């Protein structure tokens, strides 16, 4: 190995490593605590000092997905034996399951709105990014800046007229309304990121395709799209994460049918105060996909974040 | 005879036909591709914004029949600028902005500087540090209220463990002094990684030969840090501050879940105040004017800041 002046010494590396790992562990602690709390029983979750070692239980998850009602011990004894493990857990607390909770529904709303708006932002964003990258468009720079500037607006500043507009159009509290809204928020990022990726694809490929008799359109989807696939995928993840996490519009513009999980999770209430294991279970189910995405796709994500910021 | 497909094609297609086969003109394609995006942004962003401006001159209330809507000129703006509640919320916002940016820059830059030593496994640890910013602020904020519980919370337990104080003697979310710091802590936990990543991009953009040249000139490490590292990273750092500033100025979800603006109105940031006016008191016209003031403030501050940023970049 050649000697380099700028290469840090082993001792420096060791020092830097220790501090970073320490910070990472502090960062991780609340997340580990969410995960652990989801598997505690309600009494364990509020014991003091906080329990690190505990008997794991699925009560939080059962409480998250069901609604229950309390019955007297005599009536409980008269019931047939519990049909499954969920019934059993609930019976131990003198309760019976009366039906599913709204969590499943809200989670599905998150999935529908998240994927719907991601698909639409990527679809429209790719077309626009391609046009911005390849064609002469009058006022191109101004249009691009206009697209970016829409991201500066505080959501609440436009929430009032959107609320009124949606009420008139019958879009309030609908999936379509929320998909359109999230698409509008995401599209600026999508256009900017995708334009960067498409700029990097040499135009020679398309020119060759055009000479081979492809139309412009064929050249776009047979040559450019496959080349931009990685870029499109990482942009899609960003759009999905945004739509997945959004709260302000969701809480202001939806009340039931189209409400996503973020406004719902904090409202999970158990018997006698907040049911923290159920809240933690909901949070775990909701946060886990994003965490897994982040870890699996870390190279692309890190590139996307810094790239998006540095480009402008 | 080996004739290339290109020449064969060229012979087979007379020029006017070739143009037809190509389909739409480039110009038409460009417009067809760009139009939906522009249309969507006009419908969902610009039109509502213009509507907000219009509403801000009226006494409209969205929960009432709008028969008696009147244009009242600049009266909403006048009332906002003399409303002490609004000024308190602007102060709370300024306090929140200043301290979050201070801590995020300090910790974020330090971390980036350390990670740039390229020690073993730094990729994995970087990913772990980045996790919080990928999560939903509302859900995270909700869960931090649990960590902040004085009787049962992990946060109070750990602070008590290290300081020896009684864990139930301080309420992070319930005390007027501590609540603003409680949200600063969570925001710093969530968003330091963002500043860190951008600083890291800045550090990686500095070519090694500059340091080598400085070392040959016998510049001390300290001197190298202040005359090379800091100025070269500065534009990146300022960019990170711009993004965080805009985001935190409109901060809503995290704070709603943590404190809901309380206790009293100590953590009632501008956007929370705005939500209360618009969707609880239903003073639509009044809150539209407030929204416009906020928007103009962000836009104005951001423009001034970008000018300063460009100066730093050009140096």
């Amino acid at each position: 190995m050649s000697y380099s002046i700028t290469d840090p010494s082993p001792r420096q590396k060791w020092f830097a490593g220790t501090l970073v790992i320490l910070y990472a562990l502090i960062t991780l602690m609340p997340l580990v605590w969410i995960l652990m709390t989801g598997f505690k029983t309600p009494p364990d979750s509020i014991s003091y000092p906080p329990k690190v070692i505990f008997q794991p239980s699925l009560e939080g998850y059962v409480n998250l997905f069901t609604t229950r009602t309390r019955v007297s011990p005599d009536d409980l004894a008269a019931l047939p034996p519990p049909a499954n493990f969920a019934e059993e857990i609930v019976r131990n607390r003198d309760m019976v399951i009366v039906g599913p909770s709204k969590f499943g529904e809200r989670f599905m709303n998150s999935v529908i709105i998240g994927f719907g708006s991601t698909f639409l932002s990527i679809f429209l964003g790719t077309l626009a990014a391609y046009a911005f990258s390849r064609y002469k468009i009058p006022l191109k720079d101004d249009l691009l800046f206009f697209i970016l500037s829409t991201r500066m607006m505080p959501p609440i500043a436009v929430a009032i007229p959107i609320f009124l507009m949606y009420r008139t159009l019958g879009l309030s509290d609908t999936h379509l309304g929320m998909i359109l809204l999230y698409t509008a928020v995401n599209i600026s990022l999508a256009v900017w990121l995708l334009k960067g990726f498409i700029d990097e694809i040499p135009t020679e490929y398309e020119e060759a395709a055009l000479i081979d008799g492809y139309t412009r359109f064929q050249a776009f989807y047979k040559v450019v799209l496959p080349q931009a696939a990685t870029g499109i995928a990482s942009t899609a993840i960003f759009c999905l994460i945004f739509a997945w996490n959004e709260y302000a519009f969701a809480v202001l513009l939806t009340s039931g049918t189209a409400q996503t999980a973020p406004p719902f999770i904090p409202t999970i209430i158990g018997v006698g105060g907040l049911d923290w294991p159920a809240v933690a279970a909901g949070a775990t189910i909701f946060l886990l996909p994003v965490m897994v995405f982040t870890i699996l796709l870390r190279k692309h994500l890190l590139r996307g974040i810094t790239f998006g910021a540095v480009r402008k | 005879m080996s004739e290339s497909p290109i020449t064969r094609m060229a012979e087979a297609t007379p020029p006017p036909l070739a143009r037809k086969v190509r389909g739409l003109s480039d110009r038409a394609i460009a417009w067809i591709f760009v139009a939906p995006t522009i249309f969507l942004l006009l419908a969902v962003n610009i039109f509502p914004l213009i509507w907000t401006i219009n509403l801000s001159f009226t006494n409209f209330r969205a929960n009432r029949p709008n028969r008696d809507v009147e244009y009242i000129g600049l009266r909403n703006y006048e009332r906002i600028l003399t409303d002490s509640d609004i000024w308190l919320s602007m102060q709370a916002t300024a306090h929140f902005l200043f301290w979050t940016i201070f801590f995020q820059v300090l910790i974020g830059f330090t971390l980036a500087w350390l990670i740039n030593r390229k020690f073993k496994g730094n990729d994995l640890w970087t990913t772990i540090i980045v996790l919080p910013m990928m999560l939903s602020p509302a859900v995270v904020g909700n869960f931090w209220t649990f960590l902040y519980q004085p009787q049962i919370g992990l946060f109070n337990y750990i602070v008590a463990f290290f300081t020896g104080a009684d864990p139930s003697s301080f309420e992070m979310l319930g005390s007027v002094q501590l609540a603003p710091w409680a949200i600063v802590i969570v925001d710093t936990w969530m968003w330091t990684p963002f500043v860190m990543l951008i600083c890291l991009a800045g550090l990686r953009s500095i070519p090694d030969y500059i340091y080598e040249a400085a070392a040959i000139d016998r510049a001390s490490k300290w001197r190298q840090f202040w005359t090379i590292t800091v100025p070269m990273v500065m534009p990146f750092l300022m960019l990170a501050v711009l993004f965080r500033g805009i985001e935190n100025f409109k901060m809503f979800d995290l704070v709603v879940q943590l404190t809901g603006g309380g206790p009293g109105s100590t953590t009632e940031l501008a956007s929370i105040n705005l939500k209360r006016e618009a969707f609880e008191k239903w003073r639509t016209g009044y809150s539209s004017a407030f929204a416009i003031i906020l928007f103009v403030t962000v836009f104005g501050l951001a423009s001034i800041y970008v000018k300063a940023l460009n100066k730093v970049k050009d140096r």
Side-chain angles (χ1 to χ4, degrees), chain B residues 34-168:
Chain B
V34 173
T37 298
I38 302 291
F39 177 74
L40 187 72
L41 287 174
L42 287 176
V44 184
N45 268 310
I46 302 308
F47 174 63
L49 183 69
I50 293 168
W51 196 347
T52 308
I53 295 174
N54 183 35
L55 283 177
S56 75
F57 299 116
T58 68
N59 60 1
F60 177 61
R61 298 172 80 100
N63 62 339
R64 281 194 196 157
N66 27 355
R67 244 173 292 127
D68 38 340
V69 178
E70 276 175 56
Y71 279 84
I72 53 170
L74 288 170
R75 213 176 314 150
N76 281 330
Y77 289 89
E78 235 176 84
R79 273 164 60 199
I80 286 164
L81 295 176
T82 52
D83 187 336
S84 61
D85 267 11
I86 301 262
W87 285 107
L88 281 178
S89 74
M90 290 304 248
Q91 265 175 34
T93 310
H95 175 273
F96 174 67
L97 265 177
F98 177 82
W99 287 108
T100 49
I101 288 177
F102 175 79
F103 286 122
Q104 285 167 28
V105 164
L106 191 73
I107 304 172
F109 180 81
T110 311
L111 281 174
W113 189 69
L114 290 171
I115 286 170
N116 206 28
R117 312 285 99 182
K118 301 186 182 84
F119 56 89
K120 218 174 170 185
N122 67 352
D123 190 34
L124 173 75
W125 297 107
T126 312
T127 311
I128 289 177
I129 292 175
V130 168
L131 270 181
M133 65 177 274
M134 299 290 179
L135 306 177
S136 168
V139 177
V140 161
N142 172 240
F143 206 81
W144 269 85
T145 59
F146 179 57
L147 300 177
Y148 278 144
Q149 295 291 313
Q151 302 288 344
I152 54 173
L154 184 67
F155 182 88
N156 279 42
Y157 177 75
I158 289 174
V159 171
F161 184 84
F162 283 109
T163 62
D166 178 12
S168 46

Side-chain angles (χ1 to χ4, degrees), chain A residues 5-6 8 16 27 33-34 45-46 48-49 127 151 157 160-161 167 215-216 245 247 266 276 279 290 298 306 309, chain B residues 21 26 48 52 62 117 123 127 134-136 138 142-143 146-147 151-152 157 167 189 197 211 215 239 250 257 284:
Chain A
I5 297 167
T6 51
T27 292
W33 201 249
I34 296 182
S45 75
I46 54 168
Y48 191 87
L127 294 182
R151 227 181 155 74
I160 302 161
R167 208 167 59 176
T215 63
R216 267 286 194 186
N245 290 342
Y247 174 80
W276 285 110
V279 173
V290 176
R298 57 177 184 250
T306 44
Chain B
V21 170
D26 283 4
T52 308
R117 312 285 99 182
D123 190 34
T127 311
M134 299 290 179
L135 306 177
S136 168
N142 172 240
F143 206 81
F146 179 57
L147 300 177
Q151 302 288 344
I152 54 173
Y157 177 75
W189 175 77
L197 285 175
Y211 288 112
L239 203 69
K250 38 182 216 191
Q257 281 308 321
T284 314

Side-chain angles (χ1 to χ4, degrees), chain A residues 74-149:
Chain A
D74 296 339
D75 293 343
L76 205 64
L79 287 170
N84 52 36
F85 79 96
E87 278 283 357
E88 209 177 310
I89 289 174
V90 171
R91 295 256 178 111
N92 287 337
R93 301 259 175 233
D94 289 345
M95 287 191 276
V96 288
I97 294 172
V98 290
S101 74
K102 286 213 165 118
F103 181 73
E105 210 180 289
R106 297 294 192 265
F107 189 82
M108 275 316 291
N109 284 343
S110 277
V111 172
I112 294 168
I113 293 169
F115 281 90
S117 72
T118 302
F119 176 78
L120 200 58
S121 340
I122 292 298
F123 180 72
L124 298 179
T126 311
L127 294 182
Y130 177 75
F132 277 122
S133 173
R134 293 293 194 258
Y135 296 115
K136 270 200 192 117
I137 294 173
L139 299 173
K140 184 194 275 188
D141 288 342
D142 296 315
L143 273 179
L144 277 170
F145 182 75
F146 158 72
I147 290 174
L148 190 73
S149 71

Side-chain angles (χ1 to χ4, degrees), chain A residues 220-282:
Chain A
F220 168 65
Y221 72 78
K222 286 192 179 155
V223 178
V224 178
L225 276 192
Q227 299 248 4
T230 349
I232 291 175
S234 51
T235 310
I237 299 283
F238 270 109
C239 295
L240 185 63
I241 288 178
F242 169 82
W244 193 250
N245 290 342
E246 210 283 334
Y247 174 80
F249 283 131
V251 80
L252 296 177
L253 300 177
T254 65
S255 48
T257 330
Q259 194 166 70
T260 50
F264 179 72
I265 290 172
T267 63
I268 299 167
I269 301 207
V271 184
L274 270 169
D275 185 349
W276 285 110
V279 173

